[in-house]
Amino acid sequence: MEWSLRSAEELAIALHAGEVTSTELTDEAIARIERDDKAINAICVPDFDRARAAAREADAARARGEDRPLLGIPVTVKESYNIAGLPTTWGLPQFADYVPAEDALPVARLKAAGAVVLGKTNVPPMLGDLQSANEIYGVTNNPWDPTRTPGGSSGGSAAALAAGFGALSIGSDIGGSLRNPAHFCGVYAHKPTLGLVANRGHVPPPTPALPFDRDLAVVGPMARTARDLALLLDVMAGADPLTLGVAFDLALPPARHERLGDFRVLVLEDHPLMPTGSAVRDAIHRVSDALTDAGARVEWHSPLLPDPVDAAVLYMELLLSTLAAGFPEAAYEQMRVHAATFAPDDRSLDAARMRGAVFSQRDWIAATSRRELHRQGWRELFAQFDVVVAPITPTPAFPHDPNPDMGSRRIDIDGVEYPFGDQLVWAGTATMPGLPATAVPAGRSPEGLPVGVQLIGPMFEDRTPLRLAELLEERIGGFVAPE
C-alpha cells in the first residue's frame, strides 16, 4: 500500500493501529522524493539521515506508549525557517553557507509534536516573488505543469504536498505566500490571524533568532486536507514563551457553525483595481452554488464591506513600508526620489508602493490608524456574516517568468495584460487588517490546472473558516493528485 498521498490524519490512525511504522512512511517518502523531485525541484535541502533517525525514535516512542499529535508523520519545512544544522539562505547566494544553531520556534513545535522533518522546500530570494526560484537551488516547477510556477514564496512546500513529499508543510505569508501556492498547486493553506503563531527563527540570515513581530507577516500550515490544516495549526499556534507566552494561554473560540447550511457568507467576485479571470470566477461560483444548495445564506454585495480601493492602497503602503526597511541605503534613496514625483492626491497602487517604501514614523502611525478603521469595519461586517469568499489571485498558475524586474512584468488575465504586482490586492484583502484566511481547492481550469479560493474569517476566529473549508471539502471535493 502506498501511503505518500494519504492525509496526516489517516497516517496517524494507521500508525496508532500498527498498520505501518514511521520508518516505513519515511522511507517511502524519501524514495518518492528521490524518484520524482528531479522534475519538480521542491526539496532544496534534504535531511534524510536525520529524518530516518527521527522516524526510528518515533517508532520507539510509540512502542513505549507515547502518542503525540504528529508522532512519526513525515513533513517538510519552508527553507526560510531556521533548522539547526541545515542552511537557511532565503535564496541569497551570499548566505549559501549560513547554518543556524537552533530551530525556529514553529519547527521546534513540530518536532515536539513528533513530526519527522524530511527537509526544506524552495523559495524565491528574500521570499519576494509569486514564483519559487533562486541562484542557489534553481527553479521549482508546478507538479501539474512543469512549464508553470507552483507559486511563491511557499511554492516549494505546495509543490511538495501536491507531489506526495510528506503529509504536511509549513510556510509563511505577507503577500499571499501561503495562499497563492496552495491555489496554484491544488492544496490547502491557512494564513492565521496576525500574531496567532509565534514566528521566532523565521528571519533572513544572519539575523539573530529573537522574538520579533514583522508587520503583516505570519507563518502557518499547509496540507492536503482541511482537517490536517486545523491539526497543524493547533500544533503551531500560541504566543512566544519568551514574550506574551509568559502570561497568556491560547484559547481560540470554536467555529461559529458546524453545518454548512448555517453559515452566512459574503461572496466577493470582483475588485475595482484588478479583474478576475474566468477560471477563478468559475471557482467562486462553484463554491457559492455549493453553499446555496446546502441552505447557507449567500450574498454578493454588502454596504458593510470596507472600501476595497482604500484597503488596497493602504495594504501596498504598509507592505512596502515593511519590505523596504531592509533595503540598502542607496536603493532607499532612489525610492525616496521616485516617491516625490507622485502627486499628493495620486491614489494609484504605484504611488502607494513608493510612498509606503519611504514612510516616516509619522506616516506609518497615520496608516496604522487608518488600518484600525478598516478593522472596525470588518468587525461590523462579521456581525452579519461568518465568512467572506474571495479570489486568491486572478488566474491559475502562470508560466515561469524569469524577468527579475517585477515592476515590468505583466500578468495575462483572459488575454489582457495587467501589472504583475497589482494582483496582490486579493492577498491584501485579508493581510492588511490581519484576518485569518483559508485557501481551499475549488476545481480545475479548462486547461486542467488547479483553482482555489480563500475563505476569510473574523480576527482570532480561525476555526470558523477552517470548519467551512472542511465542510466544502466534503461537498465539492478537495485535493486531487496531479495526473
Side-chain angles (χ1 to χ4, degrees):
M1 176 183 295
E2 187 173 53
W3 299 95
S4 291
L5 290 169
R6 300 290 189 94
S7 69
E9 183 180 35
E10 290 173 319
L11 297 184
I13 292 171
L15 285 163
H16 184 76
E19 296 175 15
V20 68
T21 67
S22 178
T23 297
E24 290 169 333
L25 294 179
T26 301
D27 284 342
E28 181 183 299
I30 290 171
R32 191 178 184 94
I33 293 168
E34 291 176 337
R35 184 190 73 198
D36 296 341
D37 199 38
K38 293 180 179 64
I40 300 170
N41 192 35
I43 310 299
C44 60
V45 184
D47 197 21
F48 296 158
D49 288 344
R50 292 199 299 183
R52 289 189 168 103
R56 291 192 295 270
E57 172 52 32
D59 289 334
R62 193 171 293 280
R64 294 191 299 267
E66 296 182 27
D67 192 12
R68 286 170 268 158
L70 304 180
L71 186 58
I73 295 175
V75 306
T76 60
V77 171
K78 187 175 181 178
E79 199 272 355
S80 48
Y81 287 87
N82 286 351
I83 298 182
L86 297 181
T88 296
T89 71
W90 285 49
L92 302 174
Q94 63 267 38
F95 296 113
D97 298 324
Y98 178 76
V99 178
E102 62 182 15
D103 293 337
L105 180 56
V107 174
R109 287 175 169 169
L110 258 66
K111 291 183 177 180
V116 173
V117 178
L118 298 167
K120 303 179 79 174
T121 60
N122 205 22
V123 298
M126 282 299 291
L127 316 187
D129 201 344
L130 298 183
Q131 306 179 95
S132 293
N134 59 72
E135 292 182 32
I136 306 170
Y137 300 120
V139 178
T140 299
N141 299 316
N142 193 311
W144 287 88
D145 179 349
T147 70
R148 296 175 185 265
T149 179
S153 62
S154 307
S157 287
L161 286 168
F165 304 160
L168 302 167
S169 194
I170 58 174
S172 62
D173 192 310
I174 192 171
S177 288
L178 283 160
R179 294 162 285 166
N180 168 277
H183 158 58
F184 282 1
C185 292
V187 299
Y188 290 80
H190 182 69
K191 186 202 86 65
T193 297
L194 182 66
L196 177 61
V197 181
N199 59 9
R200 175 161 44 94
H202 185 260
V203 288
T207 309
L210 301 173
F212 175 70
D213 291 325
R214 190 182 186 204
D215 191 28
L216 305 175
V218 300
V219 295
M222 307 181 77
R224 287 191 293 269
T225 73
R227 288 175 64 88
D228 280 1
L229 269 190
L231 169 69
L232 186 49
L233 180 66
D234 284 345
V235 169
M236 298 179 71
D240 193 320
L242 299 184
T243 55
L244 296 177
V246 172
F248 301 138
D249 290 327
L250 177 65
L252 285 179
R256 291 187 176 186
H257 307 291
E258 288 298 316
R259 294 178 57 255
L260 194 59
D262 293 336
F263 277 84
R264 303 165 299 169
V265 179
L266 175 64
V267 178
L268 304 181
E269 184 177 20
D270 298 299
H271 195 286
L273 300 179
M274 175 60 61
T276 301
S278 55
V280 173
R281 195 178 297 274
D282 289 346
I284 293 286
H285 283 262
R286 193 174 297 115
V287 169
S288 66
D289 289 347
L291 289 164
T292 300
D293 291 346
R297 189 188 110 198
V298 177
E299 298 187 22
W300 291 78
H301 303 281
S302 172
L304 296 173
L305 181 71
D307 181 357
V309 173
D310 187 61
V313 169
L314 180 54
Y315 169 62
M316 294 299 179
E317 289 174 344
L318 290 170
L319 177 66
L320 266 294
S321 176
T322 294
L323 298 179
F327 287 3
E329 189 65 30
Y332 176 84
E333 181 59 25
Q334 287 180 341
M335 290 185 294
R336 190 187 64 78
V337 172
H338 190 188
T341 65
F342 291 95
D345 60 350
D346 189 334
R347 303 295 289 165
S348 68
L349 295 182
D350 280 343
R353 282 185 279 260
M354 284 300 103
R355 279 197 302 265
V358 295
F359 261 2
S360 66
Q361 177 74 351
R362 177 186 176 92
D363 294 330
W364 190 85
I365 290 173
T368 57
S369 296
R370 285 167 56 207
R371 171 164 50 187
E372 287 306 320
L373 293 174
H374 277 270
R375 284 176 172 163
Q376 181 57 28
W378 280 103
R379 291 184 191 104
E380 294 170 2
L381 182 144
F382 282 124
Q384 301 297 320
F385 296 95
D386 303 307
V387 170
V388 172
V389 176
I392 296 170
T393 63
T395 69
F398 52 83
H400 294 294
D401 188 341
N403 181 0
D405 179 11
M406 279 187 283
S408 64
R409 285 190 204 162
R410 295 293 180 266
I411 180 172
D412 184 308
I413 304 176
D414 293 339
V416 180
E417 291 189 344
Y418 296 86
F420 183 85
D422 288 3
Q423 64 185 299
L424 292 184
V425 295
W426 284 118
T429 301
T431 298
M432 185 273 289
L435 302 173
T438 306
V440 302
R444 301 285 175 268
S445 73
E447 298 80 19
L449 296 169
V451 182
V453 303
Q454 61 179 327
L455 313 176
I456 303 172
M459 207 165 193
F460 288 106
E461 293 191 51
D462 294 57
R463 296 199 193 284
T464 293
L466 284 167
R467 177 57 179 162
L468 182 56
E470 182 183 342
L471 294 169
L472 284 171
E473 184 178 9
E474 296 171 358
R475 190 84 177 190
I476 66 174
F479 170 76
V480 177
E483 299 170 356

